[in-house]
Amino acid sequence: MKAEIISVGSSLLKGLVENKNAAFIARKLTSVGINVTQAVMIDNSKEKLLETIEKAEQQADVLVFTGGLGPDEDDIVKTTLSEHLDKPLVLDDDTQNRIITYHKNSDLIMPKNNQLQALTLLDSIPLVNVTGLALGMFYQSDTHTYILLPGPTDELKPMFTEKAWPLIIEHLLNGQVVSTKLVRLFGLTMAQAQRNLGDILVSDDSTFIEIFPAGLEIEVQITARGLDADEVHQLIAKAESEIEKSVAPYIIGYGDQNLPNIVRKLLKEKELKITGAESLTGGAFLSDLSSLFEAGLFFDGGMVTYDESIKKEVLGVDEEVIETHGVVSAECAFEMAEKALEAFGADLAVSLTGAAGPSSLEGEIPGTVWIGVAVKEKSTFAKKFHFGYKRNQNREYSVWSAFNLIRQVLLDEEIESIIYLCCQIKCNTIVIQKTYPIRLLGIGFPPWGKCRFSILL
């Protein structure tokens, strides 16, 4: 089955509005085997719309329209399709009453053409707009299916998900059971994910596996369809197992919750407090923390220590550490994390320091970043990253990498990359501060807890 998406609106062609709707719809349709052959953007021209409809009908079974359903004179999708199909438009009373009530309650003047929003093709299935006023529709002729959706994304998504999607499954997929699961990845590029997953991405008639960028993360979407729920569950479990074999080290979670929200849930469940001390990220990590739902349960505050003097005078980083090792170092990351942990009385603390770019810093090339983690009654450790040469992208990756380290700590997962432990070796009255490169397998390593030990010479 083939589909075409027709997005109507001059604002799209002028670049005033990004066409996120087409991407959303294409992802949903292709996930169940409906092949989107083309997505076009056109202006509010009746002649152009008629031409586009006629061409689309020659190569697609399903035509999905976005935009052009409002009360303005240039919202001509319904009237043009009615003329093309020789099918009259009828008034949906429920929608009309909602429009009238809305304008009365809002003390707004109702547009003359407000009825356009409440019209639908005769014999179509109205799609109620749960967040707006313009009515959508689902109509099937003898040869084609026509789905009309509003232009605003905050109206289109709920209408598609709650109203159109069940009809697509019932009428186009013959009522099969359809289920979807998301596997979230972090630490891979799209090219690396495609290479690692390889043949797993090849879909068949019952299971569809695709990958999509999701900010700095990657979503692997598994969709299965079958005659009953048990069959679909088994298909998804099988696909999930194959994905885990290929990219297990990069799986951060399941579902639509991104890394910060995964950490939020873990902190809340464990009733732990977190803080942070930031340098190159300038408060971005703390900002993401505070923006999370119920942030007050696990976050009291943190510190932005962008300048070297603030690290020393306000946070309390040892001046000798900075003079000896510099700010782009494991030692500085240790100090920042431990001082923040102490200052804010938290259960764990994160530090971010490094060279964001575009210039080098202390001989370190742009993108060199140290992230430190201090946890009560456990060893402080730091991990070195190198992201690239783009300043703001480096800052974003640093924040997300910090969240991922926290996730691993909270889940007691293995951290397999080379990291550094902070240790003090006491020789009589002399204290030697050293860092030891190790391969940390589980946050409980080493077994002596804080790694503060004495030796006799």
Side-chain angles (χ1 to χ4, degrees):
M1 184 176 294
K2 297 179 180 180
E4 181 165 327
I5 302 169
I6 303 170
S7 301
V8 182
S10 58
S11 58
L12 294 170
L13 295 173
K14 293 177 181 178
L16 301 176
V17 178
E18 185 179 354
N19 192 4
K20 296 180 179 179
N21 293 337
F24 168 76
I25 295 167
R27 176 169 176 173
K28 294 291 290 186
L29 294 179
T30 55
S31 74
V32 290
I34 300 176
N35 183 27
V36 178
T37 58
Q38 188 167 255
V40 299
M41 296 188 297
I42 62 173
D43 61 16
N44 303 79
S45 163
K46 178 180 177 180
E47 292 74 20
K48 185 63 178 178
L49 180 56
L50 282 171
E51 177 188 340
T52 303
I53 292 172
E54 291 170 358
K55 288 182 178 179
E57 288 174 334
Q58 296 174 14
Q59 54 193 20
D61 310 291
V62 182
L63 279 66
V64 183
F65 299 83
T66 72
L69 305 185
D72 299 328
E73 292 183 358
D74 59 355
D75 290 315
I76 43 81
V77 172
K78 290 179 181 179
T79 52
T80 303
L81 186 61
S82 171
E83 177 182 322
H84 172 71
L85 296 174
D86 193 21
K87 197 78 173 178
L89 291 167
V90 295
L91 188 66
D92 182 79
D93 292 332
D94 289 340
T95 301
Q96 173 72 341
N97 291 335
R98 286 181 61 232
I99 294 171
I100 293 172
T101 301
Y102 168 78
H103 285 88
K104 284 183 177 179
N105 293 340
S106 304
D107 291 329
L108 296 174
I109 298 175
M110 191 161 57
K112 296 179 180 179
N113 297 328
N114 79 90
Q115 277 195 342
L116 278 175
Q117 297 179 97
L119 293 176
T120 184
L121 285 175
L122 182 66
D123 299 327
S124 69
I125 301 175
L127 303 178
V128 177
N129 193 330
V130 296
T131 55
L133 298 176
L135 186 70
M137 71 177 77
F138 183 97
Y139 176 75
Q140 287 187 295
S141 69
D142 294 336
T143 57
H144 294 85
T145 299
Y146 305 85
I147 303 173
L148 276 62
L149 303 167
T153 301
D154 62 347
E155 296 181 26
L156 178 142
K157 284 189 174 181
M159 180 185 289
F160 185 92
T161 303
E162 298 175 26
K163 306 300 179 181
W165 189 243
L167 295 174
I168 290 171
I169 293 173
E170 178 183 353
H171 294 275
L172 303 183
L173 304 179
N174 301 317
Q176 295 185 70
V177 176
V178 177
S179 184
T180 298
K181 185 169 186 177
L182 291 178
V183 182
R184 307 193 73 82
L185 309 179
F186 175 70
L188 285 172
T189 65
M190 283 291 289
Q192 290 169 332
Q194 289 172 335
R195 184 185 66 235
N196 287 13
L197 292 170
D199 294 339
I200 298 174
L201 297 177
V202 178
S203 302
D204 56 34
D205 292 335
S206 57
T207 308
F208 308 90
I209 305 174
E210 296 178 287
I211 61 175
F212 301 93
L216 299 182
E217 300 174 22
I218 292 174
E219 292 178 350
V220 184
Q221 180 174 283
I222 310 168
T223 304
R225 66 186 192 190
L227 299 176
D228 58 64
D230 288 339
E231 178 187 357
V232 170
H233 176 77
Q234 291 175 10
L235 290 170
I236 287 183
K238 179 182 178 183
E240 185 180 337
S241 176
E242 292 176 351
I243 291 169
E244 289 175 347
K245 290 177 183 177
S246 300
V247 290
Y250 304 100
I251 295 176
I252 59 171
Y254 301 85
D256 58 2
Q257 296 296 303
N258 64 9
L259 256 175
N261 279 288
I262 291 171
V263 169
R264 179 197 72 84
K265 181 180 178 182
L266 291 169
L267 289 169
K268 183 180 176 182
E269 288 176 352
K270 296 177 180 289
E271 297 182 348
L272 297 175
K273 292 276 190 175
I274 186 172
T275 186
E278 299 183 63
S279 183
L280 82 154
T281 45
F285 173 78
L286 298 174
S287 176
D288 281 356
L289 266 182
S290 61
S291 68
L292 295 172
F293 179 63
E294 298 181 318
L297 295 177
F298 50 82
F299 175 60
D300 292 334
M303 195 174 296
V304 178
T305 60
Y306 204 73
D307 187 77
E308 185 178 305
S309 63
I310 302 299
K311 290 181 178 67
K312 294 183 292 186
E313 298 169 13
V314 180
L315 184 57
V317 174
D318 192 327
E319 183 174 0
E320 185 179 348
V321 167
I322 294 179
E323 290 178 354
T324 305
H325 304 283
V327 296
V328 189
S329 66
E331 289 79 6
C332 186
F334 295 149
E335 285 276 297
M336 289 174 64
E338 291 188 345
K339 297 297 184 181
L341 188 73
E342 180 181 350
F344 291 94
D347 299 293
L348 68 160
V350 180
S351 62
L352 299 101
T353 184
S359 303
S360 297
L361 180 63
E362 299 178 343
E364 298 286 354
I365 61 174
T368 303
V369 175
W370 282 97
I371 300 177
V373 179
V375 185
K376 274 186 177 180
E377 305 304 325
K378 290 189 177 182
S379 302
T380 300
F381 71 90
K383 183 174 179 180
K384 189 177 187 180
F385 297 83
H386 185 267
F387 299 117
Y389 290 86
K390 296 181 179 179
R391 177 179 175 81
N392 287 330
Q393 183 172 288
N394 291 337
R395 287 155 50 89
E396 292 173 0
Y397 274 114
S398 298
V399 170
W400 236 247
S401 297
F403 274 111
N404 196 38
L405 280 179
I406 299 165
R407 180 192 65 82
Q408 292 176 293
V409 168
L410 293 175
L411 292 174
D412 206 23
E413 285 188 359
E414 293 184 352
I415 301 177
E416 297 181 346
S417 299
I418 297 296
I419 66 169
Y420 289 75
L421 277 174
C422 177
C423 297
Q424 285 183 354
I425 302 175
K426 294 184 178 180
C427 305
N428 296 328
T429 60
I430 302 173
V431 177
I432 305 172
Q433 185 84 18
K434 298 196 69 176
T435 59
Y436 293 87
I438 65 166
R439 186 172 297 277
L440 187 68
L441 300 177
I443 299 304
F445 180 92
W448 50 82
K450 282 292 291 179
C451 192
R452 306 293 193 194
F453 59 93
S454 300
I455 61 173
L456 298 176
L457 296 180

